[in-house]
Amino acid sequence: MKMQIKEFADFTGVSVRTLHYYDEIGLLKPAFVDKTTGYRFYDEKSFLRMQEILFYRELDFSLKRIEEILSSPYYDKSKALNEQKQLLTLKKERLERLISAIDGAVKGENVMSAFDNSEFEKYKAEAREKWGKTDAYREYAERTENYSGQKRNDLAVEMDHIMAEFALCMRKDERPDSAEAQNLVKMLQDHITGNYYLCTNEILASLGQMYVADERFTKSIDKHADGTAAFICEAIAAYCSK
C-alpha cells in the first residue's frame, strides 16, 4: 500500500492538516517524501501506527503522551491493544449506563451514581503506567532486579519508619514547613534515590500528590495517624518550592 497524503487522509478519516501536524511533532512521519515534488507518501506501517494513535485519542490521551508511549522501548503492542479493549469496554458500559439514566431522570429518579467514572479512570492510570514506563521506572526495575526478599522487606520497613516519623511530627503540631518536617522530606527523598531511582524534586512533588490522590496510598500512610498523608503532601510541596 502506498498513498499520497490526501488519499491517506481520506482513508483514515483525518484531515491533511492533522497529518502535517503529526509529522511536525514526530507522532506520525510519512513513509517517505519525494525529494523532487515534496509529496508525502504513507504505507501499511503508517496505517497501523495511525490505528494505534486513533485508539489512544478515543481514550482521551494527549498527543504528547501518545508519542511517549509509542516511542517507549518497553511498549508492547499486543498487551496495549488488549488493555485498550478493556478501557473501551468500560467506556461503552458507562455510556450505556448514562443512556439508561436519562430514562430514569425523566421519571424523576436519582441517577447521580451513573456519573461515577472512577473504575475507568483507575484502570486508565494503571494501563498508562504499563504502556509508557518512565526513566525512573526503568531505573527502579534495573536496580531492584536482584534485590533479595529480605532486602525488599528491610527497605519497606525503613520507608514505613519514615512515614511513622512524619506522623509523630504532625502529632507534635509541627508545621509542614518546619525544620523537622523538612528534614524528614529530605530523608524520604534520599531513601528513594539511594535504593530505587533518582528522586528529583519534580518526581518527589508528584509522589506527594499521589499520597493523597490514591486512596490505597492514603490508607497505608494514615494507619500511623489520620491526616499523615496530607501532612506529608504539604511538607513535600513546601520542600520543592524552595
Side-chain angles (χ1 to χ4, degrees):
M1 179 179 79
K2 184 174 74 173
M3 298 181 179
Q4 289 189 23
I5 190 167
K6 181 63 170 64
E7 294 177 285
F8 189 72
D10 292 340
F11 187 64
T12 58
V14 301
S15 68
V16 170
R17 177 176 294 183
T18 295
L19 290 174
H20 278 226
Y21 182 63
Y22 285 2
D23 181 12
E24 180 183 333
I25 65 175
L27 182 59
L28 177 65
K29 293 285 188 182
F32 67 94
V33 178
D34 189 307
K35 294 182 180 179
T36 303
T37 63
Y39 291 160
R40 294 173 169 87
F41 289 88
Y42 296 81
D43 58 12
E44 180 72 21
K45 187 175 180 180
S46 308
F47 174 71
L48 294 175
R49 172 100 170 179
M50 176 57 80
Q51 279 189 153
E52 293 180 89
I53 293 170
L54 292 176
F55 275 129
Y56 286 115
R57 291 298 290 152
E58 187 64 31
L59 293 168
D60 303 319
F61 281 74
S62 69
L63 295 178
K64 182 177 185 297
R65 186 56 180 156
I66 294 172
E67 195 281 327
E68 290 174 351
I69 290 171
L70 296 182
S71 62
S72 170
Y74 291 83
Y75 179 63
D76 186 320
K77 181 179 178 180
S78 178
K79 288 183 179 179
L81 285 172
N82 285 329
E83 288 175 334
Q84 284 172 345
K85 179 181 177 181
Q86 178 65 24
L87 279 168
L88 288 170
T89 299
L90 289 172
K91 190 172 185 179
K92 170 177 170 287
E93 290 172 354
R94 180 170 186 261
L95 289 174
E96 290 174 343
R97 193 165 64 246
L98 288 171
I99 292 170
S100 177
I102 290 175
D103 293 332
V106 170
K107 298 175 184 177
E109 299 173 0
N110 184 337
V111 297
M112 288 303 297
S113 61
F115 296 95
D116 181 12
N117 200 31
S118 58
E119 184 178 3
F120 173 81
E121 291 300 332
K122 177 183 175 182
Y123 192 91
K124 179 178 174 180
E126 292 176 353
R128 185 178 292 179
E129 175 63 22
K130 294 175 186 175
W131 291 338
K133 292 186 172 64
T134 62
D135 289 339
Y137 184 92
R138 290 194 287 273
E139 184 180 354
Y140 166 83
E142 291 169 0
R143 291 180 63 179
T144 62
E145 182 180 6
N146 296 317
Y147 279 5
S148 65
Q150 185 61 52
K151 171 75 170 177
R152 294 175 188 274
N153 183 67
D154 290 345
L155 291 176
V157 169
E158 185 177 338
M159 175 67 84
D160 194 59
H161 174 72
I162 294 172
M163 298 303 175
E165 288 296 313
F166 271 113
L168 179 61
C169 180
M170 179 187 69
R171 287 199 299 267
K172 292 192 300 184
D173 292 326
E174 293 284 352
R175 290 171 52 86
D177 60 354
S178 67
E180 183 176 345
Q182 293 301 288
N183 286 337
L184 288 172
V185 173
K186 182 64 166 60
M187 183 185 300
L188 173 64
Q189 186 178 39
D190 289 347
H191 173 76
I192 296 170
T193 295
N195 298 289
Y196 299 110
Y197 52 81
L198 177 61
C199 185
T200 64
N201 280 10
E202 181 181 7
I203 292 175
L204 185 63
S206 296
L207 286 173
Q209 291 296 321
M210 185 176 65
Y211 291 160
V212 294
D214 190 318
E215 62 181 16
R216 292 171 295 185
F217 280 95
T218 304
K219 182 178 180 180
S220 175
I221 295 170
D222 280 3
K223 70 182 180 183
H224 298 290
D226 288 343
T228 303
F231 181 82
I232 296 174
C233 179
E234 292 180 34
I236 289 175
Y239 180 90
C240 294
S241 66
K242 294 177 182 179

